[in-house]
Amino acid sequence: MRDLQTVDLSARVGALTFKNPIMPASGTFSEDLADVFDLDVLGAHVLKTIMHGTRTGNPTPRVCDMQAGMINAIGIPSKGIDYFRDEMLPYWAAFNAPLVVSISAHSVDEFAQLCSEVSLPGVTAIEANISCPNIEADGNAFAMRPDTTHEVVTRLRAATDLPLWAKLTPNTGEPVEVARAAQDAGADALVVANTMLGMSIDIDTRRPRLGNVMGGMSGPAVKPIALRMTYQCARACDIPVIGCGGISTLEDVLEFLIAGASAVQVGTATFQSPTVMARLITELEDWMTSRGLISLDQIINTLEAPNAGVFK
Amino acid sequence: MRDLQTVDLSARVGALTFKNPIMPASGTFSEDLADVFDLDVLGAHVLKTIMHGTRTGNPTPRVCDMQAGMINAIGIPSKGIDYFRDEMLPYWAAFNAPLVVSISAHSVDEFAQLCSEVSLPGVTAIEANISCPNIEADGNAFAMRPDTTHEVVTRLRAATDLPLWAKLTPNTGEPVEVARAAQDAGADALVVANTMLGMSIDIDTRRPRLGNVMGGMSGPAVKPIALRMTYQCARACDIPVIGCGGISTLEDVLEFLIAGASAVQVGTATFQSPTVMARLITELEDWMTSRGLISLDQIINTLEAPNAGVFK
Amino acid sequence: MNHIPTTVSVPVPQGLRPRCAEATCFVRSNTPVNGEYRLLTLDAPEAILDCQPGQFFQLLCPQPDGEHPFLRRPMSIYGYDKAEGRLEFLYKVTGAGTRGLATLRAGDAFNVLGPLGQGFSMQDDWQNLMLVARGVGLATLAPLARMAREKGRKLTAICSARSPELTMSVDLFESYGAEVIIVHDKDGSSTPEALRPLIEARIAKGDVDAFYTCGSSRLLRLLQDLGETHGIPGEIAMEQQMACGLGMCQACVRSFRVGGRVIQRRVCREGPVFPISEAM
Amino acid sequence: MNHIPTTVSVPVPQGLRPRCAEATCFVRSNTPVNGEYRLLTLDAPEAILDCQPGQFFQLLCPQPDGEHPFLRRPMSIYGYDKAEGRLEFLYKVTGAGTRGLATLRAGDAFNVLGPLGQGFSMQDDWQNLMLVARGVGLATLAPLARMAREKGRKLTAICSARSPELTMSVDLFESYGAEVIIVHDKDGSSTPEALRPLIEARIAKGDVDAFYTCGSSRLLRLLQDLGETHGIPGEIAMEQQMACGLGMCQACVRSFRVGGRVIQRRVCREGPVFPISEAM
Ligand SMILES: Cc1cc2nc3c(=O)[nH]c(=O)nc-3n(C[C@H](O)[C@H](O)[C@H](O)COP(=O)(O)OP(=O)(O)OC[C@H]3O[C@@H](n4cnc5c(N)ncnc54)[C@H](O)[C@@H]3O)c2cc1C
Ligand SMILES: Cc1cc2nc3c(=O)[nH]c(=O)nc-3n(C[C@H](O)[C@H](O)[C@H](O)COP(=O)(O)OP(=O)(O)OC[C@H]3O[C@@H](n4cnc5c(N)ncnc54)[C@H](O)[C@@H]3O)c2cc1C
Ligand SMILES: Cc1cc2nc3c(=O)[nH]c(=O)nc-3n(C[C@H](O)[C@H](O)[C@H](O)COP(=O)(O)O)c2cc1C
Ligand SMILES: Cc1cc2nc3c(=O)[nH]c(=O)nc-3n(C[C@H](O)[C@H](O)[C@H](O)COP(=O)(O)O)c2cc1C
Ligand code: FES
Ligand code: FES
């Protein structure tokens, strides 16, 4: 019997179904990657966060190395909503892969307005970047606290009929409370998580390695943080969680799925190897085949955790 | 003139002066290291956190690997205050290097009582581990919030005349507020920081790699987090900061000093190379000599940060 | 690979010849032994070659392609020779660290820390020794053969494996004059039920003053039971996940039954060798 | 080194021959050129050898002892030959990544991503070319020599260095028929003040239709000034810290003055070659 069944990679995230659970992380993906592989193999396309007006972003240098990862302080350079609607949307709408648009803003009003303005045909879901540590000083973003999260997600919920994802930050001390606040306010899914605030100094010049002094850490070094938060949020919430942080190998993908993620986003790994997402899809399929698994349900949320009860 | 001056490695931490700024991090050091090098070369000795009664610690496995670091869920196995007073203190008091005793407790009362009981002759300073993420579920410790920090440090301050250091956690979303709370409550110095809560899963068994499911990340992967917090706390507070997190090379030591640390603690690096602390002392001296520097004051808090104003 | 300079000398307490040290060794060879096992032979400095059977080293494993072992990996001393400057490990490739070990080639530099822990004892009245080992446990017990010969003891080695081809170190035991009994899963001779009468027969002949074993909890229970019944002491080498290997971190504890109480001991420091009667 | 398997083939859009690709190359040689520079010569697959002078590759650098470069490092194409399957980089050892490059030995596998970015143009009416380069900028400008010869253009190369011994690539320029002028710091011939009359004399003779340069902001300002005064266009190759190298992350922006406005462009995508008149 088993031989007759084929592996079904499809991933359900609330009401949406993606043909596989692999999608890019916001800010690490653009049309430029189409030079390297066929972007339609991806489960979804997630765009760099856009803001309402045009913005330059942070001073350079905007990136630096660390052991097993990188730190970025790109900021959110943005060409604004008009450019998105007129130039970007038509380009992405031509793909089969569903389009997820990431948005952000400095105030709740602006956020809600942008949310309603990007709710256009061709857009499949909206990812609310309520967590970018570069927008406000010291990493303070809406997602740092349950109350501010609840407030902004409530307003975003009212502003769109599209599926709404809230992207959380690992910089908060209350990840579970923030996740619940997003759920209670009507988010359809959680993206867990954005970058961790860090810093690096050039000892020869005694200057920060980033123009912005501090920046967001990503890559393998932060994977255990994102995995822990994914596990915490998946246990605490009923809405699906999309894992994100340091994913670069098949083992990483499986760790997040086992911890409870319904899908995953891949960021920094694409900078090391632009074809990594396409490879992960193939490797996941091969791995499932070799183990006789036919559905992601046989992997997602299957952690054997005898002592897990002691954690919230 | 310069040739006549010799490098002075001594490090001032409030009223205390250490002969150099290198000391071990709590929990990564014990008398066993005396088999490897002369422990009197160190700036100070910092012991594994003790609690009042006897405790077993967490289930095994207690440690696992990650890229560029490790995760531990040792917990605080403790032989209690009597064993400390009768067995450990006499051993450590025989060294010239000053002794720093790390303590912790589950309640403010117990914490204060232990603090007063360990304030014995032979003890130079007390490090309050108000941040160990394994003690309470999900990493919630006193140092997660300014109010609980203020409360416990106030009580500890009243319980001892010895210099009191507060060891902070990177798991909080309010590191600066917590640091200020510790300072306001009378701490003499801050140790920045303890481990970051993370998790790892064995995909073959689908079990957590740690008996305790989650644990504290340490090593090079977390260095940018600890460095960022050191910088934030050193700018926000008047009391000295002792940097801790991922320090394994001379460059790391210098990064923390430049960011504002008055001294540093070395933990996980000792597991990779037990002689690392002794080497760092020599390398620091050589580096200063080669650059004609004679005092740590020429390094500490010398970050050139044109944009730093935008950060708290 | 991680960068651990070993050229910088560090101050050592007056009069203390380091009991253990970090040292850079050079690979002589690193060859497959049978299916899953490899033998790593190193040129090692004298300073780290005052070893006891049962002690171990903490190996800083190279990073194999795409994997990143960070902590050192504990490995029993399989062979050592101070005069020749030789140190050997017999290892099974199981994960990132041992896959890293498998990449070592002749001439490579390789950082080790040791010797660590407490080795086997061989008390004066333990004249007739019986060793029961399986799989990688043989790596740990093998140096007992030379020790037994040096001390003029009689050694019987029961070597257990999945199938007869997979037994290891038989030649080594025999070269030191040990009697070797091979048992295996294929014919059922390796089960505790089959081993019990075999061992009891030897005990009856007065041929067993002490047991040595390693690893398998089925064997441990069998030997604990036989030991208690017949008043035969013995030692077991145990394993546990480690970080420091020196006794500092308390990662490697296991529970032991001592005088009616259950206590925790560090495998790296109080062990890895413990009395069979106390192991759990 | 990081693990990037390149054997798995990935789906590429119908009809698109990848403009750039990840590929495993093999090191032919990696030799010192003078004090600080090294020449890395690779055996490279055909698929990545449709290069233009001025384009670059993103190199996945091996980890040197104790250092951990994570991001790829951008390097200009110094030489390439599709027929021969050869790709060359001339690099200066400055930090962790380039120290890692320096550890590569003949036969080593090495992962590169490219060719990337927009190379130099050589418009039809640019018949007399003048190139002004210093230090590592020579690595970027060197392939222009062959391009000029192939297109039958006349090339004058002003090579600047700290001292005469440190000039590089002079033979390479001359082998393609370029006239080489060496200037250096020791006799002061490399300052903008000394270069200006030298270049102006050539301009006066009608010998300069276009400039090419790279790197130094003092040279840029001199050439911008001369270009504006005499109506001479030109191109500059610029540098900036990069993460992706493909245009995705916006790490590598620089400011440009275009039509009275200051705009930001990505060095990796719109560049690294830009009009001299727009550079800032
Ligand atoms: C004192 C002692 C002596 C040993 N002697 C030998 C020997 O001579 N030959 C041999 O092949 N093996 C021996 N082992 C087991 C060996 O340490 C492990 O097989 C090895 O650490 C596995 O590492 P890995 O990265 O390949 O596997 P992984 O499974 O990827 O290791 C993951 C982590 O778990 C730890 N770990 C995994 N298995 C064990 C284990 N059995 N014991 C302790 N830690 C483990 C690793 O050290 C690492 O930190 C010994 C273990 C101990 C404690
Ligand atoms: C398009 C382009 C072409 C280049 N061509 C060459 C060449 O042909 N030969 C050559 O020697 N160098 C060239 N460089 C510079 C080269 O990229 C850097 O010297 C190299 O990245 C330094 O890396 P490192 O780790 O050794 O130094 P580190 O100083 O340790 O690098 C730290 C970080 O800064 C980045 N960085 C440092 N210097 C530069 C720089 N000048 N430009 C961009 N990023 C930098 C590194 O990539 C790394 O991310 C080029 C740069 C660019 C952008
Ligand atoms: C260069 C860069 C730019 C990023 N820009 C954004 C962004 O605009 N919006 C956002 O929500 N996250 C952004 N991120 C965070 C990523 O989407 C992702 O959450 C994070 O990098 C962790 O995943 P990774 O380790 O796989 O990269 C950015 C990350 C990087 C490295
Ligand atoms: C095995 C282990 C045990 C630790 N135990 C303690 C402890 O008992 N008390 C404490 O305050 N910190 C403890 N820590 C945290 C360290 O003191 C240090 O803050 C942390 O590891 C970061 O530094 P590092 O990266 O240099 O190790 C422990 C860390 C490790 C790795
Ligand atoms: S491994 Fe650290 S105490 Fe045993
Ligand atoms: S390096 Fe990423 S956009 Fe240029």
Side-chain angles (χ1 to χ4, degrees), chain D residues 103-141:
Chain D
T103 67
L104 287 170
R105 288 173 301 185
D108 285 355
F110 179 54
N111 180 297
V112 306
L113 168 68
L116 298 166
Q118 314 303 323
F120 292 106
S121 67
M122 207 170 265
Q123 294 176 25
D124 290 345
D125 55 342
W126 296 5
Q127 290 296 327
N128 298 295
L129 313 175
M130 174 172 276
L131 164 169
V132 192
R134 188 177 165 91
V136 90
L138 283 163
T140 310
L141 297 170

Side-chain angles (χ1 to χ4, degrees), chain B residues 25-28 48-49 63 70 72 74-76 102 127 129 167 193-195 218-219 222 244-247 265-269 271, chain C residues 249:
Chain B
S26 175
T28 65
K48 169 82 183 171
T49 300
V63 289
M70 61 177 285
N72 90 79
I74 306 285
I76 308 200
S102 170
E127 180 174 296
N129 176 5
K167 184 162 176 184
N194 214 309
T195 53
S218 61
V222 304
C244 177
I247 295 172
Q265 295 185 347
V266 177
T268 303
F271 298 167
Chain C
C249 72

Side-chain angles (χ1 to χ4, degrees), chain B:
Chain B
M1 279 306 284
R2 177 165 103 50
D3 288 344
L4 298 177
Q5 301 191 305
T6 48
V7 175
D8 176 8
L9 286 185
S10 67
R12 269 174 291 113
V13 177
L16 301 172
T17 300
F18 302 111
K19 73 175 167 196
N20 66 60
I22 309 289
M23 60 182 95
S26 175
T28 65
F29 177 74
S30 73
E31 65 277 17
D32 306 286
L33 196 59
D35 280 359
V36 185
F37 69 91
D38 180 354
L39 301 185
D40 254 340
V41 304
L42 297 172
H45 295 162
V46 184
L47 304 189
K48 169 82 183 171
T49 300
I50 59 168
M51 297 186 74
H52 198 273
T54 58
R55 294 163 48 87
T56 344
N58 285 327
T60 57
R62 291 178 168 187
V63 289
C64 71
D65 260 347
M66 57 174 281
Q67 196 170 333
M70 61 177 285
I71 317 182
N72 90 79
I74 306 285
I76 308 200
S78 171
K79 296 193 176 155
I81 173 75
D82 298 342
Y83 182 84
F84 166 73
R85 192 185 42 237
D86 303 340
E87 306 287 333
M88 296 176 73
L89 187 53
Y91 175 86
W92 290 105
F95 287 93
N96 293 319
L99 182 65
V100 180
V101 176
S102 170
I103 58 170
S104 195
H106 286 307
S107 71
V108 173
D109 285 344
E110 206 181 300
F111 221 139
Q113 194 196 325
L114 181 60
C115 184
S116 116
E117 290 182 44
V118 297
S119 298
L120 297 164
V123 176
T124 299
I126 291 174
E127 180 174 296
N129 176 5
I130 54 171
S131 57
C132 183
N134 297 322
I135 299 180
E136 298 182 326
D138 257 7
N140 286 323
F142 295 104
M144 289 297 285
R145 294 172 42 149
D147 55 353
T148 46
T149 300
H150 194 276
E151 185 192 355
V152 73
V153 176
T154 302
R155 288 289 304 282
L156 296 174
R157 176 68 294 162
T160 188
D161 291 330
L162 290 174
L164 177 67
W165 301 353
K167 184 162 176 184
L168 308 188
T169 175
N171 293 307
T172 179
E174 309 164 277
V176 170
E177 292 75 7
V178 169
R180 288 213 187 95
Q183 167 175 285
D184 295 347
D188 296 295
L190 304 170
V191 181
V192 179
N194 214 309
T195 53
M196 180 79 210
L197 198 62
M199 178 172 172
S200 180
I201 295 172
D202 182 327
I203 60 156
D204 293 318
T205 62
R206 299 196 186 184
R207 295 170 67 92
R209 285 193 191 273
L210 295 175
N212 195 47
V213 184
M214 304 183 203
M217 297 159 61
S218 61
V222 304
K223 192 190 70 175
I225 304 174
L227 183 69
R228 179 259 301 174
M229 277 185 63
T230 294
Y231 176 69
Q232 290 175 314
C233 294
R235 286 170 67 88
C237 298
D238 301 317
I239 56 176
V241 171
I242 298 165
C244 177
I247 295 172
S248 26
T249 65
L250 173 65
E251 287 70 30
D252 299 336
V253 172
L254 293 169
E255 275 192 281
F256 278 85
L257 296 179
I258 292 169
S262 300
V264 297
Q265 295 185 347
V266 177
T268 303
T270 294
F271 298 167
Q272 285 219 320
S273 179
T275 51
V276 67
M277 286 188 285
R279 279 204 314 275
L280 289 174
I281 295 165
T282 313
E283 289 176 6
L284 178 59
E285 182 162 11
D286 292 350
W287 186 85
M288 289 177 66
T289 306
S290 74
R291 274 156 185 77
L293 303 176
I294 55 166
S295 154
L296 293 187
D297 293 338
Q298 296 167 288
I299 307 174
I300 293 168
N301 202 13
T302 58
L303 185 72
E304 314 248 347
N307 302 304
V310 297
F311 295 100
K312 274 191 273 188

Side-chain angles (χ1 to χ4, degrees), chain B residues 27 30 32 63 74 271, chain C residues 56 58 240-253 265-269:
Chain B
S30 73
D32 306 286
V63 289
I74 306 285
F271 298 167
Chain C
F56 68 102
Q58 282 271 73
Q240 183 59 283
Q241 246 85 345
M242 293 187 178
C244 71
L246 281 167
M248 300 185 286
C249 72
Q250 312 203 47
C252 63
V253 296
R265 286 172 174 158
R266 295 164 299 180
V267 170
C268 75
R269 191 77 186 182

